[in-house]
Structures are given as structure tokens and as C-alpha cells.
Amino acid sequence: MATFRKRALDEAASHKTERYFAENRPVSTYFGQNIFDLPKMRRYMSQPAYEAVVAAINEGAKIDRKVANEIASGMKSWAVEMGATHYTHIFQPLTGTTAEKHEAFLTIKNGQAFENFKGSALVQQEPDASSFPSGGLRNTFEARGYSAWDPTSPVFILDETLCIPSVFVSHTGEALDMKVPNLKSLSALSEAGAAVASRFDKSVKAVHVNLGLEQEYFLVDSSLYAARPDLRLCDRTVIGHTSAKDQQLSDHYFGSIPSKVEAYMKDFETEAYKLGIDLETRHNEVAPNQFECAPLFCECTKAIDQNMLLMIVMQKVAEKHNLKVLFHEKPFDGINGSGKHVNWSIVTDKGTLVLSPGKTPSKNLQFLAFYAAVTKAVYKHNYLLMSSISNLNNSYRLGGHEAPPAVMSIFSGSNVSKILNSIMSTGATPEDNDVKDAFELVSSVPEIHPDNTDRNRTSPFAFTGNRFEFRALGSSANAASAVYVLNTAVAESLCEFRKEVDALEAAGCSRQNAVMKVVTKFLVESKDVLFEGNGYSKEWAEEAERRGLRAVKNVPEAYKSFLEEDSIAMFKNMGVLSPEEVQARYALLNENYVKKLQIEARVQGDMCLNHVIPSAIEYQNILMKNILGAKEVFGDEYKELCKSEIDTYRKIAGFINTISADVDALCEARKKANVVEDGALKAKLYSTEVKDMMDKVRASADQLEMLIGDELWPLPKYRELLFF
Ligand code: ADP
Ligand code: MG
């Protein structure tokens, strides 16, 4: 057998199932031990320092530089006791991943060693980060970027390093990361939301967003992963014939978790618990070797930071288990890809979930107000929202019969729908119907109480009882990339809602009537985004188009929505991004798309020319030897005897020629695109000509995989990658 694959398979077979991080203590005794949370701050900091941090977290108050020294000193004492030797700001540049630069606490003075950590180092770091993409916001001669501590997210210790969640900005203050716009969008939403919520409860001063991020992922054996250049460099397979059995039987979904995987899950959960990440669920997903975990929801920024940290922890722990986690949206063709469902809700500082309908939703004006405002936001910016989750990775997944369709719509469920329809047609709400009765199956089984919410897996944006589930985000994405757009759109809509209610009240309308009028108006204006049916159906695609809802058909094309007047105005008016910052982000989205596809195309070409074709030739040689041998022994009869071998030889020759020509053409398509200066046009060429050529190359390579003797095939096959 091709030695590379054989060695990988042998190694994979020898990998053991073991626990490495097992704790023989209840989780509650070590939960959060590696984060510097409020109780630890109280212990390690003076009262003024503690109060300054609490005010920063709760009210967004600025931390005085003098107090920062005290905070830093407390943090350091704790971290050093915990065995930390270094500290780093950890930030989320526009690459979509996280970045860190470790600095030692150690300082030597007069020959004596000390651990030192100044307030200035806590508050700000200059990670000479000139190589991070800025979309033109920084010139190389003024390439400085600063990271600055974001106290709203807890500091933590990972691998003996004190990690300080930070924002990343240019020296003139433009956002160079995912966090800044998200923080700004939350502040806009808080202000706009409080202005509406305070109409129903005067004491409300702020609203917060809660997020629950479900994380899907694939696991593959680390040796098999290492034997596939595409997995190593692209996190997905760019060639590979489907396995005869994959997910047809739905026998993996919610199935019994394989013991190897369970050991791994328990280990990463243990490490996540120590970091205060409250993982609640784990299960098998639809595709073989695909799994999901979900933490308990929490405040938006914290949830996003925890998700980024969770992905790091999952990958680190996987190494111990000889596993690799594939967070890619579509690692394997022909089976389900992975998403990161965003459960999104709004809660007031008094603890009211404003999107919770309660027992009498028809009389719950606050619920109706927020529901209408969200509906209008999603309607007005439907294409922008879909674009915000669009990228190369997700384009391999969206629109297939597994993920939500690439067009936005809101699913409300029958109960809420009934209310909305009544409001839209009569301006008034219907009588509330009772919660569905419990039913009994057989007397020995406890009564079943059906939930009052429906499920519709085909909707990209579904109401699920007291929150919306934005289901289109890709599994590898930083959730902030889409959440800040949603927050901003809803903030804008709430501002408008409040203004219209105020105007009606000023004209003498009662509050109740004013609210109902604006709710009705908002719903009627945005009714086209409401859809209760099957989002995967052809009829819906046509219907959506008639309604003017644009589907994302081409990613670089969709990115243009960021530059549309409505988008620019929204980001500017809500104080989230300046037009220049939007422009920079737009440039980067295209750049990132091109670079990723460029890598995939190169890897594919390399794999075809250096792995696939040489194996095909080797197999041809075996066939030829057989044919020539037959000719020598049987004379002319060989033609009849070796019919199949000759036929296979010809087919292989055909594919070799096609692949060689297609890889050349792929290279030419890249060259043609690479010389184009305009970033958007370059991305467009990549998304059409380069991508199309890659599909062609793949088709032939996958055919060859079926023709060549298994022994000679050099790359671990789908069936090996997908089944332990
Ligand atoms: P499902 O797969 O059925 O959608 P999961 O249990 O996998 O449900 O995930 C649901 C996620 O939604 C969890 O992270 C949960 O904490 C979160 N969630 C529950 N209530 C809220 C809420 N009010 N706001 C935000 N997220 C929530
Ligand atoms: Mg789930």
C-alpha cells in the first residue's frame, strides 16, 4: 500500500482511548478556577480597585490608570500563585481567529528576579501587529496597532499564561478587530432598547443581549489528518470520493457517543469548566464523526469570547487524544456541514426577557413592540444579515439540503404567527388561546407537556420561545461577525420605534394605542420576511424572489451589501462603524475570500499532480504488465481476456489527461484573477472561474479514486476519515 496512507492507518489503529484531564471532584468545586472572577478580585484587590472593575463591567465606567496598577498587581499575585509565568492580551483580529503575544512577568533588577506586571501593561499592549490585515486603514509607515483590555470579559489562565481579553485598534482609533464593533453595537442596542423598555417599566436603564452558541464540529484521527495536505492546509478536503455509507441511515444522529469521543468530550469539558465555560449539552450530529456541544447562554461579549476560547481548548485537548477538530463549515463533500447556531435574546437590567411572550402574549405590549422591531430590522437588512454570515467556507454549505437556505426569513411558529396575522389584518390582537393540554401516552409514562413553541429547522431565523435562533452562521466563524450586524439593525429599528411612538403620543394618542399602531405599521411593512413554510423548497426560493428577498448566490456579490446606502447609514448612525471602517471591512472580506480560495486551488493542484496522477500511473503500469503478460502467453486471445484491464487503462489515461489539462487551466484562471487590481473584481473571478475549475478537477480526481487499486491510493479515504 502507498506507504503514507498505510502508516497513517496503522498509527490511527494504535491510538488509545484514555482520559487525560479527569478530575475526581464535583465540577462545582473547580468550575471557574482558571478565571479571575469577582470573588477572586475581592480577595486579591483593594476595595477601590474592585469597585472600579465592577463599575466597568456593569456600567461601562472607565478605569483610571492609577487604579489599573492596583488591579494589575492583584491579577499578577493570583496568576503567579496559579503557576502563570507570562501574560498576553488576547484579541480577535479580522482574520477571524484569535491572536496573542506572550510577555514574561520576569524582570531582573540589580541581579534579583521579580515578577512584575504594571497597570499600563494590563490596560494596553502594542503587539507590533503590523502584519494583521487592516483593509487599508493603516499604512505600513504608520502600522501601529494597540490592544486594550476589555474588562467586560474575564481574564483567564491558559497554559501558564495570563490571558487578557482585549480590543484591537489602529493608532488613530479605527477598529481592527471583531470585538470593537460588537461592543459598540451592544451599547447602541442597550440605549435604544432601554428607551423602548422604559415605556413599560420606568426603572429600566439598560438592556443586554444574551447569546447561546451551539458549536458543531467534526473529529478526525490526527494521523489520517496529517496524511491529507488539504485537511492540514485548508481544514477541508478538496478531493475525495464519497463513502458508500455515510449519513443515509441517520444512525449517527443522537446515537450513542463512541467511547473514544466521549473520553475526549469529557476532557475538554473539564478544561472548559475550569475556564468558567458552562457546557450543557453534547451529542452526535447528523454526519458520521460530527458532534455538537452547547454552553448555557450568557451575556453577548462573554459568550463570544468563551466560544473563541472553547475552540482553542477543544483543539488543544484533541492533541492529547490524537484527534483533530475540524471547525470548517464543510470539511467533506456530500454530507452535512457544520454551523454555529446563534441563540439571541434581549433582557432588561431588571431581568425581563423582552422577547418572552408570557402566558398572554396578546396583552404583552412590550413583547409585541420588541418582536415588531426585530422583524422590521431583519426585513430591512435581510440581505446584509445573510451577507454577514457569508464567506467561502459557509458557501460550500448554505443552500444545500442541510443548512438554512441562503435567503433570509423569520419563522414565528403557529402561536405567535396567529397574533401577528391578526394585528396585521385588524390592528388588534386575538384572544390568547390556552397553552396546549398535556397528553398521556400510556399510563406508565409520565404526562407529556407539549412546548408552546414550534420548530422549523429550515428557517435561518426562527423564534424559539423567548429568543431567536439565527441558524445560518458557520461553525468556524467568530460569532461577532454576524451578531454585531444583527444588534445594530435591531438598535436602529428600536430607535425608529421609539420615535414613532413618541410622535403619536405627542399628538395625543394614548401610550397603548401608540404602541399598537407602531407595532402594526412595523409588521405590515415587513411582512414579506415572515415565512412559516419549508425553507428548503423550490417554491419558497421563487416566492422569496417575488417578495424581493435577495438570496446570496455569489459571496463577493453579497459583500457589496455592506456598501449599500442603508447599511453605511445604519452603521454610522448607530455609532458602530464609520464609512471608512465599513469600506475597510469590505476590502478585507474580499481579500480573505481570494486568499482562502487561492490556497485551496493550489493544494488541489498539488494533490492531483503529486499524489493522484503518480498513483494512477503506477496502477497503469500494473495493468500494462498484466496485459503484456497475457499477450505473451495467450497471443491474440489477450484482447478478449484483458478487455477490462485495457478498458480501465484507457479510462485512467483519459482522466490523467483531463486532470492535467484542468489543473493547467485552474492555474491560468488564478493567474488571470491575480493580476486584477480591483479587490471585488478579483474575488468575483475567483468565485466563478477559479471555483468552477476546481469543481471540474475534483470530479476527475474522485473518479480516479474509484478506478485505482485501493493499495496504491495515497490519501486516507472518506470512509477512513469518517468512521473510527
Ligand atoms: P437546540 O439544538 O434544540 O436549539 P440546544 O440545547 O442545543 O438547543 O441549544 C440551545 C442554546 O440556546 C443553549 O446554548 C441555551 O443556553 C441557549 N438559550 C436558552 N435560552 C436562551 C436565551 N433566553 N437567550 C439566549 N440563548 C438561550
Ligand atoms: Mg442543538
Side-chain angles (χ1 to χ4, degrees):
M1 187 186 277
T3 49
F4 213 40
R5 171 160 158 247
K6 181 169 187 327
R7 194 167 51 213
L9 286 170
D10 288 346
E11 267 177 34
S14 74
H15 289 152
K16 301 227 166 17
T17 298
E18 258 176 89
R19 289 285 309 270
Y20 297 89
F21 299 95
E23 289 278 352
N24 291 321
R25 307 178 275 166
V27 176
S28 56
T29 60
Y30 59 88
F31 185 81
Q33 77 175 33
N34 293 347
I35 52 172
F36 195 53
D37 50 12
L38 290 177
K40 289 182 200 107
M41 287 185 202
R42 274 196 61 175
R43 249 192 297 140
Y44 285 87
M45 276 162 28
S46 69
Q47 194 184 341
Y50 172 79
E51 280 167 3
V53 179
V54 172
I57 297 171
N58 291 344
E59 293 139 42
K62 266 216 169 31
I63 289 177
D64 192 280
R65 293 237 166 190
K66 263 199 239 119
V67 184
N69 267 329
E70 271 197 51
I71 300 173
S73 153
M75 250 181 216
K76 183 205 69 188
S77 302
W78 169 71
V80 171
E81 268 176 47
M82 293 287 291
T85 56
H86 287 67
Y87 67 90
T88 182
H89 278 197
I90 180 161
F91 54 99
Q92 301 166 13
L94 293 166
T95 51
T97 53
T98 55
E100 45 196 80
K101 180 192 174 198
H102 299 197
E103 314 252 7
F105 285 127
L106 185 72
T107 36
I108 309 284
K109 212 166 183 186
N110 301 328
Q112 297 297 311
F114 298 90
E115 266 96 16
N116 206 348
F117 184 46
K118 287 211 184 78
S120 52
L122 162 66
V123 172
Q124 189 175 316
Q125 212 181 15
E126 189 186 335
D128 182 28
S130 48
S131 293
F132 284 112
S134 75
L137 284 175
R138 293 180 302 172
N139 299 313
T140 35
F141 57 84
E142 249 314 354
R144 270 178 299 166
Y146 298 102
S147 56
W149 176 34
D150 164 24
T152 58
S153 194
V155 163
F156 58 90
I157 293 176
L158 186 68
D159 294 343
E160 287 110 60
T161 300
L162 176 72
C163 301
I164 303 154
S166 302
V167 297
F168 182 49
V169 293
S170 77
H171 75 291
T172 43
E174 284 105 349
L176 295 175
D177 71 351
M178 300 280 191
K179 213 177 215 271
V180 171
N182 188 46
L183 289 170
K184 289 185 174 175
S185 75
L186 287 167
S187 136
L189 180 55
S190 178
E191 197 180 316
V196 172
S198 62
R199 297 291 189 280
F200 306 98
D201 172 358
K202 275 207 181 69
S203 66
V204 171
K205 295 276 178 295
V207 302
H208 306 289
V209 168
N210 280 336
L211 286 190
L213 298 170
E214 301 167 44
Q215 181 66 54
E216 293 180 339
Y217 59 97
F218 278 86
L219 290 175
V220 295
D221 181 274
S222 58
S223 297
L224 302 184
Y225 170 95
R228 298 251 349 180
D230 46 3
L231 285 182
R232 276 181 178 229
L233 300 186
C234 314
D235 231 29
R236 83 175 189 98
T237 54
V238 294
I239 59 173
H241 198 282
T242 52
S243 164
K245 173 183 188 285
D246 45 50
Q247 64 186 42
Q248 305 94 319
L249 300 175
S250 297
D251 51 354
H252 188 257
Y253 191 46
F254 283 6
S256 153
I257 300 173
S259 37
K260 185 176 177 57
V261 176
E262 198 168 328
Y264 161 67
M265 285 175 167
K266 288 178 176 166
D267 269 355
F268 85 67
E269 284 165 7
T270 303
E271 291 306 280
Y273 290 148
K274 289 180 191 162
L275 289 160
I277 303 172
D278 186 359
L279 287 171
E280 274 198 312
T281 57
R282 54 164 109 108
H283 63 82
N284 289 7
E285 258 302 329
V286 173
N289 275 2
Q290 190 190 27
F291 307 92
E292 181 187 303
C293 62
L296 180 67
F297 67 91
C298 62
E299 190 281 323
C300 181
T301 313
K302 191 174 155 197
I304 293 172
D305 285 5
Q306 285 195 340
N307 176 258
M308 299 303 285
L309 177 57
L310 178 64
M311 292 199 285
I312 294 174
V313 169
M314 285 171 72
Q315 201 63 276
K316 279 187 192 277
V317 173
E319 279 171 30
K320 282 261 176 217
H321 289 256
N322 296 114
L323 292 170
K324 267 281 172 187
V325 190
L326 305 179
F327 287 112
H328 195 287
E329 283 70 0
K330 192 78 177 175
F332 304 101
D333 257 29
I335 54 171
N336 277 17
S338 303
K340 173 148 37 204
H341 298 176
V342 178
N343 292 271
W344 179 93
S345 66
I346 304 177
V347 60
T348 69
D349 54 356
K350 298 289 167 300
T352 308
L353 270 171
V354 295
L355 288 167
S356 175
K359 287 219 160 59
T360 52
S362 292
K363 295 183 192 76
N364 187 343
L365 276 189
Q366 173 160 276
F367 163 71
L368 296 174
F370 276 87
Y371 203 96
V374 173
T375 304
K376 175 141 184 210
V378 174
Y379 172 66
K380 182 172 174 194
H381 297 288
N382 68 80
Y383 189 51
L384 177 69
L385 278 165
M386 269 336 257
S387 306
S388 74
I389 54 88
S390 296
N391 50 46
L392 178 66
N393 293 8
N394 223 4
S395 70
Y396 294 119
R397 176 179 88 105
L398 284 190
H401 279 248
E402 39 151 328
V407 61
M408 183 50 97
S409 66
I410 300 180
F411 171 81
S412 303
S414 57
N415 288 322
V416 173
S417 243
K418 212 170 119 193
I419 298 167
L420 303 184
N421 287 333
S422 162
I423 295 175
M424 284 189 283
S425 55
T426 67
T429 53
E431 276 302 303
D432 282 312
N433 53 350
D434 289 335
V435 178
K436 284 179 208 149
D437 288 334
F439 59 82
E440 188 180 284
L441 275 180
V442 283
S443 58
S444 56
V445 172
E447 277 189 337
I448 293 178
H449 294 263
D451 197 314
N452 224 8
T453 62
D454 298 338
R455 285 294 158 112
N456 182 338
R457 297 263 166 216
T458 71
S459 174
F461 201 83
F463 182 63
T464 53
N466 55 17
R467 60 188 185 271
F468 283 97
E469 188 174 356
F470 190 10
R471 304 181 61 248
L473 189 78
S475 47
S476 72
N478 179 324
S481 61
V483 168
Y484 88 92
V485 180
L486 176 62
N487 292 342
T488 312
V490 173
E492 182 195 54
S493 181
L494 285 165
C495 279
E496 211 183 303
F497 190 92
R498 194 215 56 204
K499 268 191 213 139
E500 297 206 12
V501 169
D502 283 355
L504 286 170
E505 284 193 47
C509 207
S510 74
R511 167 142 316 158
Q512 168 134 358
N513 280 344
V515 169
M516 251 348 261
K517 273 201 172 123
V518 183
V519 165
T520 310
K521 178 167 176 261
F522 271 37
L523 289 175
V524 169
E525 279 170 8
S526 23
K527 65 174 186 317
D528 277 344
V529 81
L530 300 171
F531 177 65
E532 296 291 295
N534 176 7
Y536 293 170
S537 69
K538 206 171 125 258
E539 292 74 32
W540 168 237
E542 291 162 7
E543 166 73 13
E545 204 170 325
R546 262 198 308 281
R547 293 187 187 187
L549 300 169
R550 286 180 281 171
V552 172
K553 291 184 178 142
N554 175 281
V555 174
E557 197 53 44
Y559 286 157
K560 291 185 182 150
S561 62
F562 278 89
L563 300 185
E564 284 171 15
E565 218 173 289
D566 276 352
S567 315
I568 298 263
M570 173 187 88
F571 287 124
K572 183 162 177 267
N573 297 339
M574 292 298 109
V576 172
L577 288 175
S578 69
E580 293 73 32
E581 286 172 314
V582 176
Q583 183 69 48
R585 257 151 231 266
Y586 171 73
L588 276 176
L589 287 170
N590 281 315
E591 201 179 301
N592 202 19
Y593 183 93
V594 167
K595 285 184 178 159
K596 275 199 160 164
L597 199 48
Q598 192 170 43
I599 295 170
E600 289 186 3
R602 282 175 167 174
V603 171
Q604 193 189 45
D606 161 48
M607 286 170 80
C608 285
L609 299 184
N610 303 321
H611 295 73
V612 172
I613 292 181
S615 316
I617 294 173
E618 220 177 316
Y619 190 54
Q620 274 185 322
N621 288 342
I622 294 176
L623 291 172
M624 189 48 78
K625 217 164 136 195
N626 181 299
I627 297 164
L628 289 176
K631 190 174 175 190
E632 216 173 286
V633 178
F634 300 108
D636 257 5
E637 214 188 329
Y638 89 97
K639 279 189 190 149
E640 192 49 36
L641 290 171
C642 297
K643 220 165 152 242
S644 156
E645 288 89 326
I646 294 171
D647 191 37
T648 306
Y649 188 100
R650 286 216 163 90
K651 274 191 199 150
I652 293 176
F655 283 122
I656 291 178
N657 290 332
T658 315
I659 292 183
S660 303
D662 288 348
V663 169
D664 279 347
L666 177 60
C667 198
E668 284 309 312
R670 263 171 27 224
K671 278 190 192 155
K672 184 180 144 195
N674 288 345
V675 295
V676 173
E677 290 276 332
D678 181 89
L681 187 59
K682 185 188 281 190
K684 187 78 193 258
L685 283 174
Y686 263 90
S687 72
T688 49
E689 297 184 16
V690 173
K691 222 168 172 230
D692 289 350
M693 216 55 222
M694 283 182 70
D695 289 344
K696 275 188 82 180
V697 170
R698 176 172 193 147
S700 308
D702 291 356
Q703 288 297 319
L704 271 182
E705 186 179 328
M706 288 292 101
L707 287 173
I708 295 172
D710 185 62
E711 291 267 297
L712 295 177
W713 192 254
L715 303 158
K717 295 185 170 183
Y718 267 31
R719 60 164 188 263
E720 294 152 357
L721 294 164
L722 288 172
F723 295 90
F724 287 122

